[in-house]
Amino acid sequence: MSAPHHSPIPHCGGTVRHRLLPAALAAAALVSSLSAFGRAAATTNPPPNPIVTISATDTTAQILAKAAVVTPNSQQLAWQREELTGFIHFGPNTYTGSEVGSGTESPNLIQPTSLNTDQWAADFKNAGFKKVILVAKHHDGMLMFPSAYSSYGIAASSWDGGQGDLVKSFTDSAHRLGLKVGIYLSPADLHEAQSGGRYGDGSTAKSVTIPSDTSETVDGKTFTFTSDDYNTYYENTLYELLTRYGTVDELWFDGYNPTNRPQPYDYRDWFQMVRALQPTAAMFGGPDLRWVGNENGVARASEWSVVPQTGTADPDGTRSPTFGDTATDVASDARMTTQSSYLAWSPAECDARLEPTWFWHPNQAPKTLDQLTAMYYSSVGQNCQLLLDVPPDQSGRFDAADEAALAGFGRQIASTFATDLARGATVANDTGTTSTAGDDPGNVVDGDDATAWQPTGTTGSLVLDLGAAKTFDVVALQEDIQIGQRVETFAVDIWNGSTWQQAASATTVGYKRLLQLSNPVTASKVRLRITGSRSLPPAIATVGLFYDGRVFDLAAGTPATSSSTVYGGVPTRAVDGDTDGTWADGSVSHTDSQANAWWQTDLGSSRRLGSVAIWNRTDCCSDRLSDYWVFISDQPFDTALTPAQQAARPGVWSNHQSTKAGTPTRLNVNATGRYIMVQLSGTNYLSLAEVQAFAPSTDFSLSASQPMASVPAGTGTTSTVATSVVLGSPDAVVLSASGLPAGATATFSPATVTAGGSSTLTIHTAPDTPVGDSLVTITGTGSQDTHTAQLTLSVTAPLLTSGGVYAIGRAGTGQVIDDPGSSTVPSTQLIVYVGNGGTNQHWIATATADGGYTIKSSASGLCADVTGSSTSPGAAIIQYGCTGNANQRWYPVATPGGYGLQSASSGLYVGPGGTVNGLTVLTQQSTPTAWSFARVG
């Protein structure tokens, strides 16, 4: 698994530019002089301003004004313009079927019989990707290049005569084809975490020179660091990668750690090496780029690149987002408070997989074109770079299905955005809007993302006159991020000949925003209204209009057949676009009176269908269409079957209507299919005015944040499942999970969300849940569409042994859960107290059938209990006679710094809840407290 995926750090164009006030200006001046932040005439771009500090005395308005002037550094700006990056995972897991590995696999496993890195590079380039990142070392620790510092790598395989260097083959191919190159080097290392290894060995840091092998020195560049054994090893291998393979454009520092061993990382030293040896490279998990929070290629509906941080405001240092990586809101106005110490330009990278897994495994199908296209709009189209993994198979090639999927995706995106219908438009300020000097409306259609239109206020409108009526269904917007990201809300209107009608609206823009309209619109004039901007006037670099080729009545003009034809009512009348429903105008298809009469059409290919509309006759005989079935399938129908038999076939979507069809009767489908059939129950004539099939008119995106640590058996972990509206109005989405390992359960809170909302997924493993990786699929089902997201659940050895005795400590305090005074009285409220080793601070954990534990005092023999089975926060945690009821069963759930103790009955957590008689008592809380478990018996 490539999860970051959490890290604890985790072109100039035109002559008129925007000069900003220096970041060092006092916060008061920032607010009182907002007019100075307009795009005043200047001959150069303002310098990058990626870090702005927050003062403890700043008001919200002052912090927002500071946020409005944070801008990308040169590495970030170049990175944002790439938009599409490929990802390649290849290694021992390709041959074992694992996603994480153990670190003990033999290098000789790796035997690519027909390695073709030229194919990798060409396939990505032809699909429109600008850069490709290769995994040079995954969490198993095996190096995909020869190293002077380890024999655990591809060069130890018999493949290629022991001279294997996958990194060289890949980088040579990429550079030859003009692709940028990225390198992933996992900080976690399961091989070095084995007995005798350097990972977490407790060694003392000492002064070292990198590279340690002086023969490895390139251009006389060396580094002196104070490093322990593992950091020295990591720095040496990083040096090799940064000096052997030409230009490197991105370094990927993954924050996932499956070793369950503590190991400090010398991030600042690593970043120093990158800046010195590859100065144009952007760093993921470092000072430049952040993880979007899920592995599904989906950005937030409001994705800000300016993110509040804690810690030291070092432009080349670590990043620590105040609200983490996975929250649904990490950077809105509400997050701009003195809780943070500084603001950083920290754009999101959206990683995702073409196949269900990061590494190739047999018999896996790639994502469909519809899924990939939706991912593009949810990532690139929402201010995020898409990082798409395509895994080579055991022969060292992309398999044919993956190649076809990647090529189809590339063709679709290239076709959609080949012609900008706004180019050449006449653009002017709308009535009541003025623009800053030199920042004219026409800049939005000049094709340059570094020139822009800027209104003089935080709201304003411009009008594009297209010169003639044009049809489009995608609107593209860009801000000139070289002066900042500011747009908070906007709307797009079309002129219908007499008045303006709103076609779409959204929140943030950033580097790029793509809006898919629910239906194509035809208009000669388009208006952009900026309805909200963060403190300062926005700078809109691009307004683009595109048509993506979607046909909305997918059945129109398709070939149709029927069980018979009488009176000239040919079956194609039901797909001719005429819904009038009268025989006289030739709009009705007609069969003879027969048993189970049918009509069907072939859409030509499998299509994603949101709904169908069945149009009845309007002249006479409408009662005939009163007991009928509608079927959809990817396979041709067997017309000899009865409706009930047809509905029972695998893969057939069916709907039985027992009342008279309307004009029309609309049915939500939420299925894919190529063939559509309408069939009567019983014997009668079948008359149809029209059958229409539609792509979804309401759609949503779905993402699930990746758990950030391995999960010991018998504990739980949480994930944020987030949705956003893609098309149409918010829709109800029902959530479910599959692919869980044995003994694990999943609960959603809530189980149904309205698109645009989020849910907390809690996965509980049982003490006997098998150790290993499981790919968990999250499914969201709406009225017209279904989407899935995936996360990898890595289960390790159990945290608790049933019958074991533990001291349960409150992380970082020296305090433990305590039976006060060794009381044996039921209903005594439990406390936290300084650890003293007494038996009243020892607790026996006993596994329960539902995967939880009872927790019994060694001193009293009574069990930890939620008083009265309360479901309210603040209810006391007491000791009581052991009953095994749900209010005495507890789930350890991973939380930063330890594990929360969650009640099986209430879903709330054990935590300090105030003082009674000077003692800190335990109550149940809405948020988890971090506890640790130390075995004492």
Side-chain angles (χ1 to χ4, degrees), residues 590-628:
H590 205 300
T591 72
D592 203 350
S593 179
Q594 59 190 115
N596 304 138
W598 56 263
W599 173 99
Q600 66 174 332
T601 190
D602 179 356
L603 302 180
S605 63
S606 180
R607 304 300 302 263
R608 192 162 56 123
L609 300 177
S611 62
V612 295
I614 307 299
W615 293 77
N616 203 346
R617 297 181 64 162
T618 57
D619 51 0
C620 74
C621 319
S622 60
D623 287 342
R624 293 174 180 171
L625 197 56
S626 297
D627 186 6
Y628 63 99

Side-chain angles (χ1 to χ4, degrees), residues 300-639:
R300 296 166 182 82
S302 300
E303 193 67 68
W304 290 96
S305 294
V306 180
V307 179
Q309 311 279 334
T310 60
T312 303
D314 180 353
D316 294 324
T318 59
R319 295 285 171 265
S320 181
T322 306
F323 302 99
D325 291 308
T326 62
T328 54
D329 176 10
V330 297
S332 72
D333 285 6
R335 300 300 204 186
M336 298 295 167
T337 70
T338 53
Q339 183 176 350
S340 303
S341 57
Y342 69 100
L343 303 168
W345 189 270
S346 187
E349 189 163 56
C350 290
D351 55 326
R353 295 158 285 203
L354 180 65
E355 292 194 0
T357 53
W358 294 106
F359 289 88
W360 178 90
H361 303 314
N363 304 315
Q364 293 191 148
K367 288 182 171 61
T368 65
L369 177 58
D370 284 337
Q371 290 173 314
L372 291 171
T373 303
M375 184 187 294
Y376 178 84
Y377 283 101
S378 294
S379 56
V380 175
Q382 292 184 171
N383 193 36
C384 196
Q385 187 182 104
L386 177 59
L387 176 60
L388 182 64
D389 179 67
V390 181
D393 64 17
Q394 292 178 353
S395 74
R397 297 178 57 92
F398 293 160
D399 69 29
D402 287 359
E403 275 199 294
L406 187 61
F409 170 62
R411 285 193 300 269
Q412 177 67 31
I413 300 305
S415 173
T416 296
F417 297 99
T419 302
D420 183 354
L421 300 171
R423 192 64 62 87
T426 301
V427 192
N429 288 317
D430 194 17
T431 303
T433 296
T434 57
S435 49
T436 57
D439 298 310
D440 303 318
N443 288 340
V444 302
V445 293
D446 67 359
D448 187 347
D449 69 4
T451 64
W453 163 76
Q454 186 177 51
T456 54
T458 56
T459 61
S461 305
L462 56 73
V463 175
L464 287 74
D465 187 336
L466 307 179
K470 296 183 179 180
T471 299
F472 58 92
D473 53 19
V474 176
V475 180
L477 298 179
Q478 290 185 278
E479 288 183 75
D480 181 355
I481 59 175
Q482 292 180 79
I483 73 156
Q485 182 185 0
R486 300 176 181 176
V487 175
E488 293 192 297
T489 55
F490 68 93
V492 177
D493 305 326
I494 61 166
W495 181 254
N496 67 4
S498 59
T499 188
W500 289 107
Q501 291 182 326
Q502 182 172 303
S505 64
T507 55
T508 51
V509 175
Y511 173 73
K512 180 168 282 188
R513 183 71 176 220
L514 299 174
L515 289 178
Q516 285 183 290
L517 307 184
S518 57
N519 286 288
V521 297
T522 300
S524 61
K525 292 182 182 180
V526 177
R527 181 172 67 180
L528 170 65
R529 285 183 290 123
I530 304 299
T531 54
S533 181
R534 177 174 276 178
S535 293
L536 303 173
I540 306 301
T542 301
V543 178
L545 305 173
F546 303 91
Y547 179 58
D548 72 0
R550 285 177 290 163
V551 178
F552 285 81
D553 178 7
L554 302 173
T558 56
T561 56
S562 57
S563 54
S564 60
T565 301
V566 297
Y567 313 124
V570 295
T572 53
R573 288 184 175 183
V575 288
D576 62 1
D578 185 353
T579 61
D580 180 65
T582 61
W583 184 266
D585 70 3
S587 71
V588 178
S589 68
H590 205 300
T591 72
D592 203 350
S593 179
Q594 59 190 115
N596 304 138
W598 56 263
W599 173 99
Q600 66 174 332
T601 190
D602 179 356
L603 302 180
S605 63
S606 180
R607 304 300 302 263
R608 192 162 56 123
L609 300 177
S611 62
V612 295
I614 307 299
W615 293 77
N616 203 346
R617 297 181 64 162
T618 57
D619 51 0
C620 74
C621 319
S622 60
D623 287 342
R624 293 174 180 171
L625 197 56
S626 297
D627 186 6
Y628 63 99
W629 292 70
V630 181
F631 301 108
I632 296 171
S633 175
D634 270 326
Q635 302 300 319
F637 294 107
D638 182 346
T639 57

Side-chain angles (χ1 to χ4, degrees), residues 838-859:
T839 57
N840 63 321
Q841 296 182 347
H842 293 170
W843 301 88
I844 303 168
T846 303
T848 58
D850 64 350
Y853 295 88
T854 58
I855 297 176
K856 182 170 65 175
S857 168
S858 291

Side-chain angles (χ1 to χ4, degrees), residues 752-764:
T752 300
V753 300
T754 299
S758 62
S759 176
T760 298
L761 164 63
T762 302
I763 299 176
H764 293 295

